[in-house]
């Protein structure tokens, strides 16, 4: 069930909320309170705009429990406009074949269910091709 | 500082051992290593294991294995088993356990340490196995998105091949070399060479990786006995092999949190520290047991260790450089790809195999006159990098 565990991450999952370092101005996702670039304390929240491009991607056929019903699915490293990379699924691809450099934007989707019929659905960010 | 000696080595064959358990595999390797050492009495046991709590629903391996292997004090005052604990560092657990054994013996507080790496994979298959493996990624920011270890490697491979203009079969030389070498190792899971054609036609697993780019998870256990040189028995029956360096470094757990994912910074740092500690240069390395859990890891490890320029590591696989007869033999007894990848045991297998090479016990795969072996195991995409250097010092 792990309800508090997922509730704690609502800001990150629904709003791509990370941090900005007050010392070196690095944008940080996920938040970690210590800047990975300069080592200074970084507790200022910062909401990413959700736009980026595909840095790399692959399709998973042999999925872990909780994801096996949705396989195959495509995961990517997305390079956010503000700098950081995030790991997320690509969604709403339709006939689009993903490629490196493809512009994408964040959307909120179901990430997984915990399996049993009364189980919790976990929502969070995925990325879809930018509508042209 | 006194020399730390690999006094005993032992291993089980790697494979799908339906008739063997976690504990029976470990005990076999332990008994073989103690026998090989001439009967040294261990005072501490370090167990390298990655996933027994998930795959076998068994934690607390130190007590279990010390007991089942009969590792007890044999004097009247101490009616108990010896010191024993588990070391976990993902896929690098075996190497990390060896590092703990090294620290214990080097400190002088332990005279004889036993290190065993063990993994029992095959009792769990399918989605539950993938879920267990995915616990080795960042739970909040990777596995919750459905990322698997294989997919993580595929993300690296796709970007690497894109940036460096690597052809679709550009990584083939890594599994081809591994399988050619596995043919000469009686403990290897796969003992048959494969052709380039077979690689090119292989089924994709997680594109751009195909089944030959992914080392098979398998069951196995390997063990080493460590002691200080002055404590070796007078009639020690093997050429003396010293643990000349032992280093561990770390990087971000999540791949996405690296500013430069295609550079294994931890692998570079641990190799540099190891060369410094051993007092050798990379030109003196006679063989390199790298961590080819995925072909792309082999390429990135060769670059991180300085054997190839950035973006060029894949070329060493194609031009024969890493073959047994090449300038830098790698995966000399099959590597993870052909010997098999028994999780937390892998780092210990690598050291056992390197010790066989330096002792001259590697049979058909013997690297003539080998003196220095470089050994590296990784947890995740070099989130942990463990490097050891073995040196042959006596006859």
């Amino acid at each position: 069930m792990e309800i508090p565990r997922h509730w704690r991450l609502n800001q990150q999952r629904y709003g791509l909320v990370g941090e900005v370092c007050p010392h070196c101005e690095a944008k940080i996702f996920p938040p970690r309170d210590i800047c990975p670039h300069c080592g200074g304390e970084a507790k200022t929240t910062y909401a990413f705009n959700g736009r980026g491009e595909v840095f790399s991607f692959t399709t998973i056929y042999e999925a872990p429990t909780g994801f096996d019903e949705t396989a195959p699915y495509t995961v990517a490293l997305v390079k956010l406009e503000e700098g950081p990379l995030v790991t997320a699924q690509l969604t709403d691809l339709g006939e689009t074949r993903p490629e490196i450099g493809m512009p994408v934007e964040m959307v909120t989707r179901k990430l997984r269910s915990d399996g049993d019929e009364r189980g919790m659905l976990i929502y969070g960010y995925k990325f879809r091709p930018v509508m042209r | 500082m006194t020399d730390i000696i690999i006094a005993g080595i032992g291993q089980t064959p790697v494979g799908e051992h339906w008739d063997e358990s976690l504990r029976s595999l470990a005990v076999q390797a332990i008994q073989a290593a103690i026998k090989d050492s001439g009967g040294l009495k261990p005072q501490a046991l370090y167990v390298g294991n990655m996933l027994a709590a998930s795959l076998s629903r068994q934690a607390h391996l130190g007590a279990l294995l010390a007991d089942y292997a009969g590792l007890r004090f044999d004097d009247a005052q101490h009616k108990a088993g010896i010191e024993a604990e588990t070391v976990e560092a993902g896929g690098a657990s075996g190497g990390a356990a060896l590092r703990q054994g090294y620290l214990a013996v080097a400190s002088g507080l332990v005279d004889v340490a036993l290190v065993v790496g063990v993994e029992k994979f095959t009792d769990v298959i399918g989605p539950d196995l993938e879920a267990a493996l995915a616990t080795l990624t960042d739970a909040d920011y990777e596995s919750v998105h459905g990322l698997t270890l294989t997919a993580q490697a595929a993300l690296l491979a796709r970007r690497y091949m894109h940036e460096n203009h690597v052809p679709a079969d550009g990584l083939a030389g890594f599994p081809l070399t591994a399988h050619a070498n596995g043919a000469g190792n009686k403990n290897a899971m796969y003992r048959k060479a494969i052709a380039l054609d077979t690689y090119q036609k292989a089924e994709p697993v997680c594109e751009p990786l195909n089944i030959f780019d992914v080392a098979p998870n398998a069951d196995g256990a390997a063990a080493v006995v460590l002691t200080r040189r002055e404590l070796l028995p007078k009639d020690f029956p093997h050429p003396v092999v010293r643990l000349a360096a032992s280093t561990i470094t770390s990087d971000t757990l999540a791949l996405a949190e690296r500013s430069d994912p295609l550079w294994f910074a931890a692998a570079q740092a641990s190799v540099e520290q190891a060369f410094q500690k051993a007092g050798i240069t990379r030109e003196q390395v006679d063989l390199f047991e790298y961590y080819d859990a995925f072909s792309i890891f082999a390429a990135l490890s060769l670059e991180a260790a300085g054997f190839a320029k950035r973006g060029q590591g894949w070329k060493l696989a194609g031009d024969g450089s890493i073959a047994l007869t090449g300038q830098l033999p790698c995966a000399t007894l099959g590597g993870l790809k052909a010997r098999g990848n028994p999780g937390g045991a892998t780092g210990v297998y690598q050291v056992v195999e390197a010790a066989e090479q330096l002792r001259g016990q590697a049979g058909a795969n013997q690297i003539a006159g080998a003196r220095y072996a470089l050994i590296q195991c990784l947890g995740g995409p070099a989130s942990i990098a463990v490097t050891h250097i073995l040196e042959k010092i006596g006859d």
Side-chain angles (χ1 to χ4, degrees):
Chain A
M1 293 297 286
E2 303 182 334
I3 289 170
R5 172 178 193 163
H6 294 290
W7 169 79
R8 284 197 296 272
L9 292 167
N10 277 353
Q11 289 221 322
Q12 286 76 56
R13 295 259 171 85
Y14 302 160
L16 272 184
V17 175
E19 289 164 336
V20 57
C21 176
H23 310 287
C24 75
E25 297 181 1
K27 311 292 197 300
I28 304 162
F29 189 87
R32 44 166 73 208
D33 295 356
I34 297 169
C35 177
H37 303 282
C38 74
E41 188 176 272
K43 293 184 170 178
T44 313
T45 58
Y46 178 88
F48 287 82
N49 69 23
R51 289 191 296 272
E53 63 175 49
V54 172
F55 181 84
S56 191
F57 66 95
T58 189
T59 300
I60 293 173
Y61 298 92
E62 292 180 27
T65 308
F67 297 90
D68 44 328
E69 286 169 14
T70 52
Y73 53 90
T74 298
V75 292
L77 291 173
V78 172
K79 182 138 183 85
L80 299 175
E81 277 187 357
E82 299 91 338
L85 286 172
V86 294
T87 304
Q89 287 189 25
L90 298 183
T91 189
D92 301 5
L93 284 168
E95 297 301 305
T96 309
R97 287 176 65 90
E99 53 186 69
I100 289 175
M102 181 174 83
V104 290
E105 61 191 7
M106 179 212 161
V107 290
T108 302
R109 293 284 188 274
K110 186 173 87 174
L111 297 183
R112 59 165 292 176
S113 60
D114 76 355
D116 76 55
E117 62 190 40
R118 288 186 299 166
M120 184 173 53
L121 301 179
I122 300 161
Y123 286 85
Y125 50 83
K126 294 188 181 181
F127 287 80
R128 69 179 177 196
V130 171
M131 304 297 172
R132 292 171 203 264
Chain B
M1 195 180 78
T2 179
D3 289 330
I4 308 303
I5 307 301
I6 306 276
I9 56 177
Q11 61 186 313
T12 72
V14 177
E16 298 175 326
H17 293 303
W18 310 113
D19 51 346
E20 299 286 353
S21 67
L22 185 73
R23 69 186 79 180
S24 70
L25 288 165
V27 169
Q28 286 173 41
I30 287 170
Q31 287 182 323
I34 291 174
K35 186 177 174 208
D36 183 74
S37 76
L40 286 171
K41 297 256 183 253
Q43 297 166 348
L45 170 68
Y46 301 95
V47 181
N49 176 266
M50 182 171 92
L51 284 173
S54 311
L55 299 178
S56 307
R57 285 190 284 283
Q58 179 66 66
H60 217 159
L61 300 184
L64 178 74
L65 299 180
D67 177 28
Y68 270 73
L71 302 174
R72 301 173 67 83
F73 294 104
D74 55 5
D75 56 279
Q77 286 82 40
H78 300 92
K79 295 190 181 306
I82 63 169
E83 171 184 345
E85 57 250 25
T86 306
V87 180
E88 188 268 315
S93 298
L98 181 64
R99 161 83 173 162
Q100 295 309 310
Y102 170 85
L103 290 175
V105 174
S107 76
L109 298 176
V110 171
D111 290 334
V112 180
L114 178 62
V115 178
V116 64
V118 61
E119 206 73 53
K120 178 68 193 172
F121 263 110
T122 57
D123 284 345
V124 178
I125 56 170
D128 289 344
L129 175 58
E130 289 298 335
L133 288 166
T135 63
L136 299 165
T137 69
D138 185 321
D140 288 346
Y141 294 100
E142 290 186 311
S143 60
V144 76
H145 296 286
L147 189 72
T148 63
L149 287 184
T150 306
Q152 203 178 41
L155 291 171
L156 276 177
R158 168 102 58 194
R159 184 74 195 188
Y160 180 87
M161 295 171 82
H162 171 81
E163 285 192 13
N164 300 303
H165 310 289
V166 181
D169 61 359
L171 299 174
F174 294 111
L176 263 57
T177 303
H179 278 260
N181 296 351
N185 176 5
K186 67 181 187 334
N187 291 307
M189 183 168 181
Y190 296 127
R191 302 187 57 200
K192 189 162 172 265
I194 57 166
L196 178 60
D197 180 56
T198 310
Y199 177 91
Q200 288 164 332
K201 289 179 185 162
E203 184 186 345
V205 172
C206 216
E207 285 176 273
L209 308 184
N210 74 36
I211 55 168
F212 289 109
D213 292 309
V214 183
N217 298 317
D219 305 333
V224 302
V225 175
L226 301 176
T227 194
R228 294 186 295 280
R229 193 174 188 178
E230 64 270 22
L231 300 174
L232 279 180
K234 290 277 177 292
D235 54 350
F236 185 69
H238 310 292
V240 179
V241 173
R242 174 174 91 100
L243 193 43
S246 173
T247 66
I248 304 188
T249 54
S250 60
D251 200 346
T252 67
L253 178 60
L255 182 61
E257 291 181 47
R258 302 204 184 150
S259 52
D260 187 2
L262 291 183
W263 184 248
F264 277 0
Q268 180 196 21
S270 77
V271 167
E272 293 298 335
Q273 288 177 14
F275 282 147
Q276 200 167 21
K277 178 85 174 78
I280 66 166
T281 63
R282 74 177 46 74
E283 289 71 30
Q284 289 175 269
V285 171
D286 295 304
L287 60 122
F288 181 21
E289 294 299 335
Y290 55 38
Y291 188 81
D292 57 330
F294 306 98
S295 310
I296 182 64
F297 282 17
L300 293 173
S301 299
L302 285 165
E303 294 171 20
F307 292 113
K309 290 203 175 86
R310 181 173 177 146
Q312 305 296 308
W314 62 280
K315 291 183 178 167
L316 296 184
D319 67 10
S321 298
I322 61 168
L324 290 177
T325 51
Q327 203 168 16
L328 180 71
C330 292
T332 65
L333 287 158
L336 279 65
K337 178 64 197 76
R339 175 232 301 124
N341 181 10
T346 293
V348 185
Y349 272 96
Q350 291 177 303
V351 169
V352 166
E353 291 163 356
E356 287 178 331
Q357 286 287 6
L358 300 192
R359 285 176 173 186
Q361 298 172 343
N365 291 18
Q366 183 63 45
I367 309 296
R371 184 170 175 206
Y372 291 104
L374 178 68
I375 306 147
Q376 185 171 69
C377 60
L378 305 178
S383 297
I384 288 286
V386 184
T387 302
H388 286 98
I389 293 174
L390 299 193
E391 177 186 3
K392 179 185 175 184
I393 54 172
D395 288 305

